[in-house]
Structures are given as structure tokens and as C-alpha cells.
């Protein structure tokens, strides 16, 4: 479903963020990407939804090379890819329901988007998405009044509303307390299994990576140093990845 072929990318001359990275993510797989800050994890995610175009190599989604897609065709691919961010990327002064409805923007004509006048079916679907993440009673609450864990649930509901089959999660629980973090990761895992979603998640916590992912990719200075099932990772592997510190 997702593939990088010999990808190299840099933002500054002679400072590559990713170096000759090749990897595949199968449909329905839950993959965790670990590594120190600056290892290239966020850039790797951005490649998969064309927020970054590699200077060398190619990116493939569902058998289509992104560099050969543009306009409507590229947008159609991007519409099936949802991103969950560490800082939620929600509109604080809008309600939880309104934020979830943003996941349906691409399916609606411009006038609906500008007026916020979504169809009855869209409103029903958005409420069902909120119920799915345990926030049915928070539909009319302003996002600014929600806890961090609740905000991330709204972001996940927005991804469900988008009808995405691929979720890119960039440190989705880094700003949450341990209890909320476990709740969010458990929710993400259950939805991934139920809906057969493909998930690629950047995460620093190696225990959480091992608990929720099926496979872990270790990045160091833009190079994949280990790509293996969770069962092939042990404490020594993680210690080696982080140079003696997790």
C-alpha cells in the first residue's frame, strides 16, 4: 500500500534528512517508526501524503507513483490519507462536531464548505464518528474546553469522517499524560483492526511502539538501521537505536 524506493531528501545542502530509504508498508499493517529527534521520522510521514517531494527516489501509494500524479488525481489519493498530529490541529473556537465535519470538506461543494451548511447525512456521520471515539456527549462542546485526550479523540473522529484508509500519526500521544496516551493508542489500535486501516506512527516511547505496532522501523540520521517485526526487537535493540538512551 505504501512504498519508498531509494528515497533521499534534504532541506539543507550536504545535510540529508533521509538517505537511500526503501521500505514497504502492507495494507492493514500497523507500523511504528522510532528514532531520536531529527532522525527523519516526520519527513518520512510527509512523503507518504505528498507534503514533501523527495529529491531522489519515488513514493508509491496504492500502486501509484506520487511524482507522476497531480491535480485531481493527487487530491484523490490524499483524501484517503488522514494525518493525526501531536498538537491536534483542531479549530479551538469551533465545536467538536464542526471539527469532525472538516473531514468531509473534500466531498462537498464549495458553498457548503464556506457556509458550514453540511448535509443531514454528513451531520449524522460526524455524530456517529464522535460516538465511535467515545465523545457523543461532547458534540456541541468547544474544542478549547476539551482535555488533550479528548482533543486527540476528535482528531481521530475527523479521520474516520474523512473515510481514510491510511492514517499517518505523528507523535500522537507525546503531549498527553500516561493514562490518556494509553487510551488513545488503544482506541487507534482497535479502530485499525476493526476497519483494517493502515497506520504508520512516529513515536518515541519504545514500550508503546512494541505494545501497539506489529512492526518497528528504526531510523538514525536518516537511515533505516533496523526494520523488523516487534518480536525481533528487544531491550538491546532499542538501546542500540538510541545510542544508550531511550
Amino acid at each position: 500500500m505504501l512504498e519508498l524506493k531509494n528515497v533521499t531528501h534534504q532541506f539543507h545542502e550536504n545535510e540529508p534528512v533521509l538517505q537511500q530509504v526503501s521500505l514497504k508498508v502492507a495494507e492493514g499493517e500497523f507500523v511504528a517508526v522510532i528514532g531520536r529527534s531529527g532522525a527523519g521520522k516526520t519527513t518520512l510521514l510527509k512523503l507518504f501524503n505528498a507534503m514533501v517531494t523527495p529529491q531522489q527516489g519515488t513514493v508509491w501509494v496504492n500502486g501509484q507513483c506520487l511524482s507522476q500524479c497531480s491535480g485531481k488525481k493527487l487530491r484523490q489519493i490524499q483524501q484517503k490519507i488522514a494525518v493525526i498530529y501531536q498538537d491536534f490541529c483542531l479549530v479551538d473556537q469551533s465545536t467538536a462536531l464542526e471539527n469532525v465535519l472538516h473531514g468531509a470538506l473534500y466531498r462537498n461543494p464549495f458553498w457548503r464548505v464556506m457556509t458550514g451548511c453540511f448535509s443531514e447525512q454528513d451531520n449524522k456521520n460526524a455524530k456517529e464518528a464522535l460516538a465511535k471515539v467515545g465523545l457523543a456527549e461532547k458534540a456541541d462542546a468547544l474544542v478549547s474546553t476539551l482535555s488533550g485526550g479528548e482533543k486527540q479523540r476528535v482528531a481521530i473522529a475527523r479521520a474516520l469522517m474523512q473515510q481514510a484508509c491510511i492514517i499517518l500519526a505523528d507523535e500522537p500521544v507525546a503531549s498527553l499524560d500516561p493514562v490518556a496516551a494509553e487510551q488513545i493508542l488503544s482506541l487507534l489500535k482497535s479502530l485499525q483492526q476493526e476497519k483494517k486501516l493502515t497506520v504508520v506512527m512516529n513515536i518515541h516511547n519504545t514500550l508503546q511502539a512494541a505494545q501497539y505496532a506489529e512492526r518497528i522501523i528504526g531510523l538514525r540520521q536518516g537511515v533505516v538501521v533496523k526494520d523488523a517485526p516487534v518480536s525481533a526487537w528487544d531491550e538491546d535493540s532499542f538501546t542500540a537505536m538510541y545510542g544508550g538512551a531511550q
Side-chain angles (χ1 to χ4, degrees):
M1 174 164 275
L2 300 173
E3 184 173 6
L4 301 181
K5 294 183 179 180
N6 301 315
V7 166
T8 293
H9 189 75
Q10 62 185 32
F11 296 105
H12 305 289
E13 189 174 359
N14 298 322
E15 295 181 24
V17 178
L18 294 172
Q19 303 181 61
Q20 291 294 301
V21 173
S22 294
L23 58 87
K24 293 181 181 180
V25 178
E27 183 176 359
E29 192 173 18
F30 195 131
V31 176
V33 183
I34 65 170
R36 286 183 176 275
S37 297
K41 301 187 303 297
T42 296
T43 300
L44 187 148
L45 288 196
K46 288 181 176 181
L47 287 164
F48 283 133
N49 69 344
M51 290 181 66
V52 168
T53 301
Q55 287 151 330
Q56 296 178 33
T58 54
V59 182
W60 298 74
V61 177
N62 290 334
Q64 299 186 79
C65 180
L66 296 188
S67 62
Q68 297 175 4
C69 300
S70 60
K72 183 178 180 180
K73 186 174 182 181
L74 180 59
R75 288 194 297 274
Q76 287 175 337
I77 295 172
Q78 291 172 320
Q79 287 161 7
K80 291 299 181 181
I81 304 172
V83 183
I84 299 174
Y85 299 93
Q86 175 181 341
D87 58 358
F88 319 121
C89 284
L90 302 173
V91 181
D92 279 348
Q93 297 310 310
S94 294
T95 66
L97 182 64
E98 289 167 339
N99 273 275
V100 174
L101 281 165
H102 293 166
L105 292 180
Y106 75 93
R107 297 195 297 271
N108 282 276
F110 183 70
W111 70 269
R112 284 195 184 278
V113 174
M114 292 302 296
T115 61
C117 185
F118 289 91
S119 69
E120 183 177 336
Q121 186 61 53
D122 276 337
N123 276 278
K124 179 182 177 182
N125 292 345
K127 289 176 181 178
E128 289 176 350
L130 280 171
K132 195 76 175 174
V133 300
L135 289 181
E137 76 287 354
K138 297 287 187 176
D140 296 324
L142 291 178
V143 164
S144 60
T145 68
L146 302 180
S147 69
E150 289 171 336
K151 288 179 180 180
Q152 200 59 291
R153 287 175 182 268
V154 172
I156 293 173
R158 180 180 59 192
L160 295 177
M161 187 68 182
Q162 188 177 328
Q163 298 177 355
C165 57
I166 299 167
I167 292 181
L168 307 176
D170 194 6
E171 298 287 351
V173 298
S175 61
L176 303 182
D177 64 71
V179 173
E182 292 299 326
Q183 291 173 342
I184 291 300
L185 291 174
S186 293
L187 173 63
L188 188 58
K189 181 67 175 180
S190 64
L191 290 172
Q192 180 256 338
Q193 292 176 326
E194 176 188 341
K195 297 182 176 294
K196 297 179 173 57
L197 302 173
T198 303
V199 177
V200 182
M201 175 178 70
N202 288 345
I203 192 163
H204 279 295
N205 189 307
T206 57
L207 293 177
Q208 291 171 337
Q211 182 177 355
Y212 293 99
E214 304 157 28
R215 170 180 157 210
I216 299 175
I217 296 172
L219 276 180
R220 183 189 294 150
Q221 295 181 331
V223 176
V224 175
V225 295
K226 184 168 183 174
D227 179 356
V230 168
S231 60
W233 286 80
D234 56 20
E235 186 174 347
D236 289 341
S237 301
F238 290 127
T239 299
M241 265 298 308
Y242 286 88
Q246 292 190 48

